[in-house]
């Protein structure tokens, strides 16, 4: 038990209350005790300040990454807007739209040509951004939806609705958004299930199992439908509905959003097991005989599904308990655990061949922190405070935000991973805001 949890428990004992999470939610004294512990927690303040220092360094994904990725920037843009120039962030967003391809497709990210120093046999170029090179992990289907989400976060925080009317190559940003949606509907939409598809990867990951590079769609890829891609699509559509309430496309967005919600629940939610199935394989499955993929819990995709509004409060409570049990069974540090149980040894080629490596069961604060955010936003304050502690403690220990953690909490990957910094900063802010509001109302 860490000192934060013990402090909270001590307060409850002094109040004569040993309460369940649901009791805390409805017990005024217990809420005050929890709010007091959160406001007094110096580690939360330290980690938030450290996160902001890391994010001040720029918009690239982190140390070891010179590129600017949409999926990463989407998770730290709100903190970045408090620490960096709005005009710089605006420019970074518009550069994504400048890199849009003629078919409406959006890149994962971009880099200056002089920094394009790694081997990539499928670079992306655009006449609208002649000094840059784009790149894309085409096994994933979250690039367009990530960009829409980060644009929405930028607009909500800055009120800069004018960015939607910026013209790029004679086409406005709002028109380019619709071109992205058209691309997804044409190139990445399964007609039978009426859901988005990508290649088979581990949960939200962007590495497929059958080749050594693993990030490009090829003859070894397996078409797969999962909850992560479709939950991201729902959030993107909700974002568009919010920032363009008078758009001529509004009714179409609402109808599409409802359809994706309905079909995600119908085809991907396992009601009996109270979990999302990992994949639907419309064509061929890569899963070896004798291995039941539906034993696997996808933590990251589930967190995004909660953000998309796909689960009830009761279901959120259930899947959170499942995550905590998976952490216990795996011996991994936190609910940032990507998935459990892992895929079999050798199923993935290369670095993910072994369990608890990278996206095959590695522990990623980048998604665990988003689950913490959803616990807070859905009223599970005690759970959020308890479950964030392992993530906070390892930042304090390592004085940094590592990309992912292996067994025994061994830090791996980028040492200044801004996605991790961003999601923790946002989670801490949400938690502190709730605590401060709770205490203010008590006076």
């Amino acid at each position: 038990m860490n000192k934060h949890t013990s402090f909270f428990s001590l307060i409850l004992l002094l109040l004569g209350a040993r309460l369940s999470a649901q009791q805390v939610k409805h017990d005024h004294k217990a809420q005050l005790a929890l709010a007091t512990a959160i406001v007094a927690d110096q580690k939360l303040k330290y980690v938030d300040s450290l996160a902001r220092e890391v994010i001040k360094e720029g918009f690239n994904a982190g140390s070891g990454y010179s590129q600017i990725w949409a999926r990463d920037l989407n998770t730290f843009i709100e903190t970045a807007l408090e620490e960096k120039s709005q005009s710089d962030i605006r420019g970074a967003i518009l550069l994504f739209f400048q890199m849009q391809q003629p078919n409406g497709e959006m890149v994962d990210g971009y880099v200056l040509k002089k920094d394009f120093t790694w081997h990539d046999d499928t670079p992306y170029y655009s006449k609208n951004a002649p000094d840059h090179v784009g790149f894309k992990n085409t096994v994933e289907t979250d690039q367009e939806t990530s960009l829409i989400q980060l644009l929405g976060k930028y607009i909500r925080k800055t009120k800069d609705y004018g960015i939607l009317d910026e013209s790029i190559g004679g086409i406005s940003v709002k028109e380019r958004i619709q071109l992205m949606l058209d691309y997804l509907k044409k190139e990445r939409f399964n007609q039978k299930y009426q859901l988005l598809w990508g290649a088979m990867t581990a949960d939200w990951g962007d590495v497929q199992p059958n080749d050594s590079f693993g990030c490009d769609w090829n003859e070894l890829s397996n078409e797969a439908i999962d909850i992560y891609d479709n939950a991201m699509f729902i959030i993107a559509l909700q974002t568009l509905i919010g920032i363009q309430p008078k758009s001529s496309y509004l009714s179409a967005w609402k109808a599409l959003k409802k359809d994706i919600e309905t079909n995600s629940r119908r085809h991907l939610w396992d009601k009996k097991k109270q979990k999302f199935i990992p994949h639907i394989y419309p064509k061929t499955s890569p899963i070896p005989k004798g291995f039941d993929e539906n034993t696997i819990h996808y933590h990251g995709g589930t967190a995004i599904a909660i953000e998309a509004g796909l689960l009830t409060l009761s279901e959120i409570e259930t899947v959170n308990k499942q995550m905590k049990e998976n952490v216990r069974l795996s011996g991994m540090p936190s609910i940032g655990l990507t998935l459990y149980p892992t895929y079999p040894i050798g199923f993935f080629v290369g670095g993910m061949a072994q369990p608890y490596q990278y996206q095959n069961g590695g522990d990623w604060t980048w998604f665990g922190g988003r689950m913490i955010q959803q616990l807070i936003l859905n009223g599970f304050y005690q759970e959020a405070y308890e479950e964030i502690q392992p993530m906070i403690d390892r930042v304090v220990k390592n004085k940094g935000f590592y990309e992912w953690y292996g067994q025994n909490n061994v830090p791996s990957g980028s040492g200044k991973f801004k996605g991790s910094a961003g999601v923790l900063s946002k989670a801490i802010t949400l938690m502190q805001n709730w605590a401060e509001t709770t205490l203010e109302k008590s006076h």
Side-chain angles (χ1 to χ4, degrees):
M1 181 180 290
N2 61 57
K3 70 178 184 180
H4 302 290
T5 306
S6 59
F7 174 48
F8 174 51
S9 299
L10 176 62
I11 294 175
L12 288 181
L13 283 169
L14 290 171
L15 292 169
R18 293 298 297 240
L19 304 174
S20 71
Q22 286 301 308
Q23 286 173 311
V24 168
K25 191 182 293 187
H26 300 292
D27 186 277
H28 182 61
K29 287 185 178 179
Q31 283 208 354
L32 289 179
L34 177 59
T36 300
I38 291 170
V39 169
D41 194 326
Q42 294 303 308
K43 280 189 179 180
L44 294 180
K45 296 173 184 176
Y46 170 72
V47 170
D48 183 48
S49 65
L50 199 63
R52 292 172 184 276
E53 289 301 314
V54 169
I55 289 170
K56 282 179 184 178
E57 295 178 9
F59 308 132
N60 61 309
S63 57
Y65 293 98
S66 61
Q67 313 98 329
I68 295 178
W69 296 67
R71 67 193 324 222
D72 293 70
L73 184 54
N74 178 41
T75 58
F76 65 85
I77 185 170
E78 290 151 311
T79 303
L81 281 165
E82 296 172 1
E83 302 298 335
K84 298 286 289 183
S85 159
Q86 178 181 327
S87 62
D88 287 348
I89 296 173
R90 191 181 203 268
I93 294 171
L94 288 175
L95 230 163
F96 276 104
F97 287 98
Q98 291 166 11
M99 289 301 304
Q100 187 174 26
Q101 300 299 292
N103 65 350
E105 181 180 12
M106 187 52 63
V107 297
D108 253 317
Y110 57 80
V111 68
L112 284 166
K113 284 184 176 178
K114 68 180 180 64
D115 293 327
F116 185 54
T117 56
W118 68 97
H119 172 70
D120 187 338
D121 56 7
T122 53
Y124 290 72
Y125 298 97
S126 172
K127 64 181 181 181
N128 295 314
D131 296 329
H132 288 80
V133 180
F135 50 88
K136 186 171 187 177
N137 291 353
T138 50
V139 294
E140 232 335 321
T141 312
D142 69 346
Q143 295 86 357
E144 291 78 15
T145 56
S146 292
L147 181 58
I148 291 169
Q149 289 178 39
L150 79 88
L151 176 66
K153 290 171 183 175
Y154 167 82
I155 290 173
R156 284 193 292 267
K157 200 165 180 72
T158 65
K159 310 304 180 186
D160 178 16
Y161 289 89
I163 194 172
L164 293 167
D165 296 313
E166 285 285 342
S167 179
I168 296 168
I171 303 173
S172 69
V173 166
K174 65 174 66 171
E175 291 172 311
R176 288 186 174 278
I177 290 170
Q178 192 58 39
L179 291 175
M180 288 196 292
L181 297 182
D182 292 343
Y183 164 79
L184 290 175
K185 288 296 296 289
K186 181 181 178 182
E187 301 293 340
R188 288 291 175 114
F189 199 73
N190 182 279
Q191 294 301 321
K192 178 181 178 180
Y193 294 98
Q194 294 287 294
L195 291 168
L196 291 183
W197 59 268
M200 184 280 169
T201 64
D203 195 4
W204 50 266
D206 52 3
V207 179
Q208 65 183 348
N210 298 323
D211 66 305
S212 55
F213 179 59
C215 295
D216 284 341
W217 178 272
N218 56 29
E219 69 280 358
L220 298 174
S221 303
N222 294 93
E223 183 177 324
I225 299 170
D226 64 31
I227 191 56
Y228 170 69
D229 290 336
N230 287 284
M232 288 288 285
F233 197 22
I234 292 167
I235 298 166
L237 289 166
Q238 183 60 55
T239 297
L240 292 178
I241 292 165
I243 63 175
Q244 295 191 65
K246 296 182 181 179
S247 171
S248 60
Y249 296 107
L250 188 64
S251 60
W253 293 339
K254 288 182 176 180
L256 181 56
K257 174 176 173 287
K258 184 176 180 181
D259 286 346
I260 301 296
E261 289 170 341
T262 300
N263 292 325
S264 293
R265 287 284 305 196
R266 177 180 297 151
H267 299 302
L268 294 170
W269 177 250
D270 186 330
K271 188 175 181 180
K272 184 177 180 181
K273 291 187 176 182
Q274 290 286 286
K275 63 181 285 292
F276 287 102
I277 67 170
H279 293 109
I280 297 169
Y281 297 104
K283 297 177 181 177
T284 58
S285 168
I287 304 302
K289 289 183 179 180
F291 183 76
D292 180 6
E293 192 184 25
N294 197 30
T295 61
I296 299 178
H297 293 250
Y298 274 6
H299 286 200
T302 301
I304 304 306
I306 296 170
E307 184 180 353
L310 288 172
L311 297 186
T312 66
L313 287 177
S314 176
E315 289 166 343
I316 295 170
E317 184 173 22
T318 296
V319 297
N320 184 57
K321 287 179 179 177
Q322 291 171 350
M323 289 182 187
K324 290 194 291 185
E325 178 64 5
N326 292 340
V327 169
R328 186 188 71 80
L329 291 170
S330 68
M332 293 294 280
S334 83
I335 60 167
L337 172 67
T338 317
L339 50 83
Y340 181 82
T342 62
Y343 285 91
I345 294 174
F347 175 73
F348 283 91
V349 174
M352 287 168 59
Q354 294 297 317
Y356 306 110
Q357 293 296 309
Y358 202 56
Q359 295 160 2
N360 187 20
D363 184 326
W364 293 68
T365 302
W366 192 27
F367 278 83
R370 281 184 259 187
M371 182 63 185
I372 299 297
Q373 293 172 17
Q374 293 309 309
L375 289 174
I376 299 164
L377 291 169
N378 286 281
F380 296 91
Y381 309 114
Q382 179 188 349
E383 292 91 335
Y385 185 55
E386 291 177 353
E387 292 170 46
I388 201 175
Q389 296 304 326
M391 303 180 206
I392 296 295
D393 288 341
R394 63 193 178 196
V395 171
V396 173
K397 178 182 178 181
N398 298 310
K399 294 182 173 58
F401 299 87
Y402 279 86
E403 188 172 2
W404 63 280
Y405 297 81
Q407 291 175 303
N408 301 313
N409 232 349
V410 174
S412 303
S414 170
K416 290 183 178 180
F417 193 64
K418 290 173 184 167
S420 296
V423 296
L424 277 185
S425 176
K426 183 174 179 178
I428 290 167
T429 298
L430 288 171
M431 197 177 293
Q432 290 175 331
N433 287 346
W434 169 79
E436 290 167 2
T437 301
T438 299
L439 293 176
E440 286 172 5
K441 286 180 179 178
S442 70
H443 294 310

